[in-house]
Amino acid sequence: MKVSSKRSDAIVKGQSRAAARAMLRATGMDDDNFAGPMIAVFNTWTNMGPCNMDLDKLAVPVRAGIRAAGGTPVDFNSIAISDGITMGSEGMRASLMSREIIADSIELAVQGHSLDGVIILVACDKTIPAAAMALARMNVPGVVVYGGSIMPGKHKGRDLSVQDVFEAVGACAAGIIDEAELKDIEKAACPGAGACGGQFTANSMAMAMTFLGLSPMGLNDIPSIDASKNDAAFAAGELVVDCVKHQRLPRDIVTSASLRNAAIALSATAASTNAILHLLAIATEAGVPFDIDIFDEISRSTPVIGDLKPGGKYMAFDLHEAGGSALIGKRLVDDGRIKDSPTVTGQSIFGEISKAKEKTGQDVVRHFADPVKSRGGYGILYGDLAPEGCVVKLAGHGALYFEGTARVFESEEECFAVVKKNGIHKGDVIIIRGEGPAGGPGMREMLGVTAALVGQDLADHVALITDGRFSGASYGFVIGHVAPESAHGGPIAFVRDGDTITIDVEARTINVDADLAARAKGWIPPKPKYPRGAYAKYARLVQSASKGAVTSFPFD
């Protein structure tokens, strides 16, 4: 496939590039390779956990597809942090930071070598938005390929995900199950390769890539170990070359319309609240105005029709069997809830959705006339405690109002130690601060705490508020992304034990019965937890959670 003018000519064309060509010939390239498009196969493979461990295998058919379409694949790799493995540890601080590093790595690999296009293989949570952020930032033709969900584990006739292990920890601490049962659940929950199996952050963001138009419809739904994944990966390799040929650019695809489509699909499936943070970041990179309040408006007007974990019955594998993202899309189109927009395939999203096939008798995806819940899975609140806003997760419960007494903790570990000793009681409003983007740093997720509360049967009886985040597997009356964060002098820094906290989702308020302004007088910012290195750099650069917690610079 010869192309008359292409980006990679900057490194392979003309007498002055003889030395560069000499080095490329050492890798096996020849004149035909120099004449055609050079495509980065950017992989986030690691065998540190099941999510990304098969991406090296998935890259094989991707490369074959690129070659079949006349392109030349060149390989790069980046880091990936396992949220499930690092959860509750100091290492979890690296998770959100890794999103920025991965996006930067993609940019540097592609721009540094003037490559014509890129296909990005992703799996665990932060690799997915990082791919979209990099594409939007560079505006180079590209395709996002999700490695796929893990299959359900099995224990005593029940489907399991890693969420069940976290909850079993709380149940064991409460004496509901014994250590032997906990061990059995631990052994059964994760049967092989693939990302966490509910509508947690990875599967939420994989669905977002589809509705944004950066992944072909259906590809991301296929489980990791499904035999058809390789064929889909081959087709994706061919597709990225086609994107280069027709110059389908990410900023023509990532628009206000496609961002809304993604947010609506996620609301309709009670997706992870992390998706709010990530869509805001993607919008920032694309230069598209997209305010946090859009998510509240969408959630109020979009019932939940996907009966998916963590709040529902089913897992990602079940959604794939039922009809996948295309079936969700069909419900949205039939009800007039999303707008048509372009995709990497060259077809519009409506054209892709028109191919939807629904499994007879399935009940994973309902109709809007008979929803799982009458409103979407999250809301945006403001008030004394969060002048810049915060995110309430509504998956798994129907409560819209809570009033209780503050129990203040300065870190996740401090809170978890009390939870393990059954020290949290009905009516408590748990405050975990010092976990924001800069103060953490890294905005850790609180799945260990929320799952333990579920295991102790307290999820419906307490509220949890933090300037950190929540896992997509978290549920209960939980509120995160509180902004400004405590490390920047946000009001959450001045809450004390015994304060009365009132949360009203319908009124969109979160207030505290105390004079926080008076308490703030003379406040001295805490010293950074990390004086040097990547953590310190991130803490200095990161913006508010209400802006997506990005470290890059927004468009003027």
Side-chain angles (χ1 to χ4, degrees):
M1 177 184 176
K2 294 186 177 181
V3 181
S4 59
S5 178
K6 52 191 176 61
R7 282 169 48 90
S8 58
D9 286 346
I11 60 169
V12 299
K13 190 173 183 178
Q15 291 182 354
S16 66
R17 304 311 304 162
R21 289 193 299 273
M23 296 187 74
L24 291 170
R25 290 181 194 278
T27 72
M29 291 191 195
D30 58 21
D31 288 345
D32 286 341
N33 298 123
F34 302 148
M38 298 176 69
I39 309 294
V41 179
F42 196 95
N43 208 324
T44 58
W45 170 84
T46 173
N47 62 5
M48 186 70 184
C51 306
N52 299 53
M53 74 181 192
D54 273 5
L55 293 183
D56 59 335
K57 300 180 182 69
L58 196 63
V60 175
V62 165
R63 292 188 206 105
I66 292 170
R67 292 189 187 101
T72 298
V74 289
D75 291 289
F76 298 90
N77 206 76
S78 186
I79 60 168
I81 305 297
S82 170
D83 286 43
I85 292 171
T86 62
M87 192 73 66
S89 75
E90 191 72 7
M92 183 63 190
R93 301 192 191 284
S95 171
L96 187 59
M97 295 184 205
S98 75
R99 185 190 72 178
E100 310 301 298
I101 300 298
I102 297 163
D104 290 353
S105 297
I106 297 167
E107 177 189 2
L108 294 175
V110 174
Q111 303 287 53
H113 297 92
S114 301
L115 297 174
D116 301 297
V118 56
I119 187 165
I120 309 168
L121 279 64
V122 296
C124 194
D125 297 7
K126 307 311 171 292
T127 64
I128 310 171
M133 289 164 65
L135 288 176
R137 184 189 303 172
M138 297 185 299
N139 205 32
V140 170
V143 175
V144 179
V145 174
Y146 176 52
S149 172
I150 196 170
M151 296 297 285
K154 300 285 185 182
H155 178 65
K156 294 182 177 179
R158 184 166 68 99
D159 285 352
L160 296 182
S161 73
V162 72
Q163 169 193 347
D164 296 285
V165 187
F166 282 102
E167 291 175 9
V169 171
C172 186
I176 297 170
I177 64 172
D178 59 22
E179 289 191 21
E181 178 75 358
L182 173 59
K183 189 77 169 182
D184 288 343
I185 293 171
E186 171 192 328
K187 289 180 177 180
C190 299
C196 297
Q199 189 68 332
F200 310 152
T201 304
N203 285 316
S204 295
M205 291 311 300
M207 182 178 286
M209 294 303 103
T210 300
F211 281 89
L212 277 174
L214 295 176
S215 298
M217 183 67 67
L219 167 61
N220 292 350
D221 298 329
I222 304 170
S224 177
I225 66 169
D226 192 299
S228 65
K229 196 75 177 184
N230 284 342
D231 290 340
F234 181 92
E238 293 181 307
L239 174 61
V240 70
V241 177
D242 194 59
C243 287
V244 172
K245 179 180 178 181
H246 292 95
Q247 282 298 290
R248 296 186 198 112
L249 300 178
R251 282 190 218 144
D252 294 331
I253 295 169
V254 179
T255 63
S256 58
S258 68
L259 284 160
R260 281 189 68 92
N261 287 348
I264 290 167
L266 295 175
S267 181
T269 54
S272 168
T273 52
N274 282 318
I276 296 174
L277 197 73
H278 298 323
L279 287 178
L280 289 171
I282 295 164
T284 295
E285 298 287 5
V288 177
F290 205 69
D291 190 84
I292 192 173
D293 288 330
I294 292 171
F295 295 95
D296 192 89
E297 172 245 308
I298 286 171
S299 184
R300 286 173 183 270
S301 60
T302 309
V304 176
I305 57 169
D307 195 1
L308 300 169
K309 286 180 177 289
K313 297 179 190 175
Y314 296 107
M315 298 174 70
F317 167 75
D318 301 302
L319 176 60
H320 171 58
E321 290 284 294
S325 295
L327 181 55
I328 296 289
K330 185 177 188 305
R331 296 284 194 267
L332 295 170
V333 170
D334 288 349
D335 215 51
R337 293 180 177 271
I338 61 173
K339 295 181 178 179
D340 208 4
S341 59
T343 77
V344 288
T345 68
Q347 285 197 337
S348 72
I349 192 78
F350 282 15
E352 295 284 344
I353 287 168
S354 69
K355 304 168 191 173
K357 296 180 180 179
E358 181 172 356
K359 181 180 178 181
T360 302
Q362 70 82 26
D363 63 346
V364 181
V365 181
R366 298 199 197 172
H367 290 270
F368 282 104
D370 178 34
V372 179
K373 286 182 61 179
S374 61
R375 65 163 290 161
Y378 36 72
I380 308 300
L381 312 181
Y382 294 88
D384 298 342
L385 214 50
E388 291 180 10
C390 60
V391 179
V392 57
K393 186 165 189 175
L394 302 175
H397 69 93
L400 299 175
Y401 184 90
F402 195 96
E403 183 176 305
T405 303
R407 295 281 303 279
V408 180
F409 301 94
E410 302 299 335
S411 69
E412 179 185 6
E413 289 88 350
E414 184 181 310
C415 179
F416 190 59
V418 173
V419 172
K420 285 197 299 183
K421 294 177 181 177
N422 299 307
I424 301 298
H425 309 290
K426 292 181 180 180
D428 286 347
V429 178
I430 302 164
I431 305 285
I432 304 178
R433 62 193 179 197
E435 296 286 4
M443 209 179 176
R444 289 191 293 180
E445 296 177 346
M446 306 291 145
L447 179 57
V449 173
T450 60
L453 292 170
V454 170
Q456 294 175 15
D457 197 28
L458 285 171
D460 293 332
H461 306 291
V462 300
L464 196 162
I465 301 170
T466 180
D467 50 8
R469 297 180 293 129
F470 292 107
S471 164
S474 293
Y475 64 100
F477 209 124
V478 296
I479 298 168
H481 308 201
V482 170
E485 61 176 288
S486 62
H488 289 165
I492 193 173
F494 310 110
V495 179
R496 295 176 182 168
D497 284 343
D499 287 346
T500 298
I501 308 290
T502 304
I503 306 156
D504 190 332
V505 177
E506 286 295 348
R508 298 187 64 195
T509 58
I510 179 167
N511 291 312
V512 55
D513 187 16
D515 189 349
L516 300 182
R519 294 177 186 173
K521 291 178 180 178
W523 177 76
I524 299 174
K527 289 184 178 180
K529 294 187 176 90
Y530 296 88
R532 61 186 62 84
Y535 286 28
K537 185 190 300 183
Y538 178 89
R540 287 194 181 189
L541 290 175
V542 69
Q543 298 179 45
S544 169
S546 65
K547 304 295 184 183
V550 294
T551 58
S552 62
F553 303 100
F555 282 65
D556 292 333

